[in-house]
Amino acid sequence: MSYARVRCVGLVGVTGHVLQVEADLAPGLPTVAITGLPDTALHEARDRVRAAVVNSGRAWPNRRITINLLPATLPKHGSSFDLAIAVAVLGSAGELPLARLDQVVLLGELGLDGTVRPVRGALPMVAAAARAGHHQVVVPLDNATEAGMIPSIKVHAVRSLRQLATFLTDGIPLPEPPPATPVDPTPTLDLADIAGQSLGRRALEIAAAGGHHLALLGPPGAGKTMLAERLPSVLPELPDDAAMEVTSLHSIAGLMPSGGRLIRRPPFQAPHHTATVSALVGGGSGLARPGAVSLAHRGVLLLDEAPEFDRRALDALRQPLEHGRVRLARSRGTAEYPARVQLVLAANPCPCAKPAGDISCDCTPLARRRYLGRLSGPLLDRVDIQVTVRPVRAAELMQVSSGGEASTVVAVRVAAARAAALERWSSLGQRSNAELPGPVLRRPPWCLPGPDIRELRARLDRGSLSARGFDRVLRLAWTIADLDGRQRPDAEDVREAIGLRTGEAL
């Protein structure tokens, strides 16, 4: 026999595709050719696989070897094909019987000594195999617990190519994946640590309840970063589908937490202000990798000292914020990653940033405008809540008993508001008020009475609000009503929403 075929999985973005790995032996000079749009890592697999086969006690065929990855039109990248290539070559040479691998998917990178090493993206790969109707998968031992998150597929864990070969020739069963180890929940920061800042706390609660973007302006030390870092502590746990998306993204990025469990807590990303466009939205050579905005999917993306970020990097966030996805086109193909985040911008009002705030500012009006002007109008127009936090007073800071509500208390109200929004909008396929299309709120049965939105309409006509801002105020008003347990917003809710949107809230 000079031909063999096994199955593997390739990733394009976060989407897995079941592929066939073919090996054919032909007379001629001993060479190895890999076809089917392989990247550099796959071209290098020739040497890795040859060394792994020889060091596992198997004979490498001294013939012309052609390895084809089907479908040939799909770009392939990474080292997760190594194990499948080795088995296909040995099968085509008659070294291994492949009957036991019918409808089985193989994943794994090979070391030169034949060990099977873990790969990135094992979770979405195994999920793709399950969707394609496969019921068994062979993965590296270090990926076995992660792969075991997919309940509909049987996972076999291998430590080495030699162990897999023994299974194929002698029928010695492969071990089951180790059980998931309990993981202590990561301690979360608590809103009770915040001194004063009633407006900031109110804005944070509304942002959490509706999934709204938030901008916090104010002098250094006022508590902007502390507030932003505590937003995840009041967000509800992720449902199954969202947890699978988030965990898959972290698997692709090589950031899977230990313990082999789905990520249930909303993720939190806070890149440094020197982060590049690629670091924020994704990039890299070949097929683009996920950036911070995708790693924060269904969680919080904090840009602290936002005016210090490169303006091109900030403006690159506009499309992901609007559509909840980031599409990255590169020479080797296009990758798409989910990016439904809550953006939090924290910024000082001016370059001098005196702790006392505006009363002691040394900056000229032009310098202040230039500083905040680094945050473009189109970006800020996508931020629902924009508030200014005031310096903390000594009495608020020193009186421990004056601390506000704890995160656990606020989280109960946030969960109730989110449940009300989900029940109302689930028929439209939406989870939260922030995701709702604007036209829905401007048409029956969800449009508000004319007297309740009179001021809002006037601001739109004067040009102080854009059409996008008009819709975002309506979404905020619905969130405020949900927090207060009312069926529909009233004029007072709309007025508060306008103040939060325009920075006029007191």
Side-chain angles (χ1 to χ4, degrees):
M1 182 178 181
S2 61
Y3 173 83
R5 180 178 61 190
V6 296
R7 290 172 176 82
C8 190
V9 179
L11 284 177
V12 179
V14 75
T15 305
H17 302 270
V18 176
L19 309 175
Q20 296 184 24
V21 179
E22 300 178 308
D24 179 75
L25 305 186
L29 292 176
T31 59
V32 179
I34 300 179
T35 62
L37 289 183
D39 69 349
T40 302
L42 262 173
H43 277 299
E44 294 173 346
R46 294 173 296 187
D47 300 320
R48 288 197 303 272
V49 170
R50 182 189 293 111
V53 167
V54 173
N55 290 327
S56 297
R58 298 286 169 170
W60 181 260
N62 195 26
R63 302 170 69 182
R64 177 179 176 82
I65 304 173
T66 302
I67 298 165
N68 187 37
L69 309 175
L70 294 175
T73 56
L74 193 73
K76 291 88 177 175
H77 65 95
S79 57
S80 60
F81 301 90
D82 287 4
L83 184 60
I85 291 173
V87 171
V89 170
L90 291 174
S92 63
E95 281 280 320
L96 292 178
L98 302 185
R100 300 180 190 276
L101 294 182
D102 185 40
Q103 297 298 316
V104 177
V105 173
L106 303 174
L107 302 174
E109 174 185 328
L110 288 175
L112 299 184
D113 59 350
T115 57
V116 181
R117 303 181 60 81
V119 296
R120 292 185 177 186
L123 178 60
M125 289 180 186
V126 175
R131 287 194 302 269
H134 299 284
H135 302 294
Q136 296 186 71
V137 62
V138 175
V139 301
L141 179 64
D142 291 342
N143 288 130
T145 306
E146 176 184 346
M149 296 180 189
I150 308 299
S152 60
I153 198 164
K154 184 175 182 179
V155 178
H156 301 284
V158 293
R159 294 183 175 86
S160 65
L161 178 60
R162 187 189 299 270
Q163 184 184 29
L164 179 58
T166 303
F167 162 71
L168 295 177
T169 55
D170 302 333
I172 298 177
L174 294 173
E176 298 289 333
T181 56
V183 180
D184 295 331
T186 303
T188 57
L189 303 175
D190 201 298
L191 275 176
D193 300 332
I194 304 294
Q197 299 302 352
S198 58
L199 175 59
R201 294 173 62 94
R202 173 66 172 170
L204 193 79
E205 183 174 342
I206 293 173
H212 304 286
H213 305 312
L214 172 65
L216 298 169
L217 305 178
K224 306 183 297 296
T225 304
M226 288 185 69
L227 281 166
E229 290 174 340
R230 283 153 180 78
L231 177 55
S233 70
V234 299
L235 295 176
E237 286 193 349
L238 301 175
D240 290 344
D241 56 343
M244 181 61 69
E245 282 184 330
V246 170
T247 310
S248 295
L249 285 164
H250 282 70
S251 175
I252 292 170
L255 300 174
M256 278 290 295
S258 60
R261 294 180 180 271
L262 289 176
I263 297 175
R264 292 289 184 179
R265 294 299 309 166
F268 178 80
Q269 292 285 314
H272 192 261
H273 66 260
T274 57
T276 63
V277 174
S278 296
L280 280 182
V281 301
S285 60
L287 285 176
R289 311 293 293 180
V293 71
S294 292
L295 295 177
H297 177 58
R298 297 296 178 189
V300 178
L301 175 63
L302 167 62
L303 302 185
D304 202 7
E305 304 295 344
E308 302 295 339
F309 281 78
D310 182 78
R311 182 160 183 167
R312 294 184 304 111
L314 292 174
D315 286 342
L317 294 173
R318 286 152 55 176
Q319 183 265 343
L321 293 179
E322 195 72 20
H323 301 290
R325 304 192 72 80
V326 57
R327 187 175 178 86
L328 303 166
R330 296 294 185 269
S331 60
R332 294 192 55 84
T334 300
E336 186 175 82
Y337 297 104
R340 183 70 65 182
V341 302
Q342 279 190 258
L343 176 67
V344 180
L345 302 175
N348 297 318
C350 63
C352 78
K354 294 295 182 65
D358 294 345
I359 60 175
S360 63
C361 177
D362 296 331
C363 301
T364 64
L366 179 60
R368 291 173 66 92
R369 286 197 301 270
R370 283 179 174 172
Y371 187 73
L372 290 180
R374 299 178 186 176
L375 304 177
S376 68
L379 175 63
L380 286 176
D381 200 37
R382 290 167 168 81
V383 179
D384 304 32
I385 303 174
Q386 303 175 26
V387 298
T388 300
V389 295
R390 306 299 179 187
V392 180
R393 297 179 179 178
E396 296 172 328
L397 189 63
M398 299 302 295
Q399 293 179 6
V400 179
S401 61
S402 65
E405 292 176 310
S407 293
T408 52
V409 178
V410 177
V412 172
R413 293 196 297 268
V414 168
R418 288 220 172 195
L422 180 61
E423 181 180 1
R424 183 171 57 246
W425 308 126
S426 58
S427 61
L428 300 176
Q430 306 298 330
R431 297 172 182 261
S432 64
N433 294 325
E435 299 177 14
L436 197 68
V440 173
L441 297 180
R442 291 184 261 112
R443 298 170 185 164
W446 305 112
C447 59
L448 301 182
D452 290 351
I453 60 172
R454 183 179 295 113
E455 182 182 353
L456 183 59
R457 291 168 61 102
R459 286 176 178 264
L460 179 62
D461 291 338
R462 290 198 304 268
S464 60
L465 275 179
S466 65
R468 181 187 288 115
F470 183 95
D471 290 338
R472 291 182 181 272
V473 169
L474 292 178
R475 295 176 185 135
L476 280 173
W478 279 94
T479 299
I480 294 169
D482 288 338
L483 276 172
D484 293 342
R486 284 178 277 104
Q487 295 296 317
R488 295 177 70 90
D490 56 22
E492 198 59 38
D493 296 331
V494 175
R495 191 172 297 112
E496 182 180 3
I498 292 174
L500 291 170
R501 167 71 185 182
T502 61
E504 299 172 3
L506 299 176

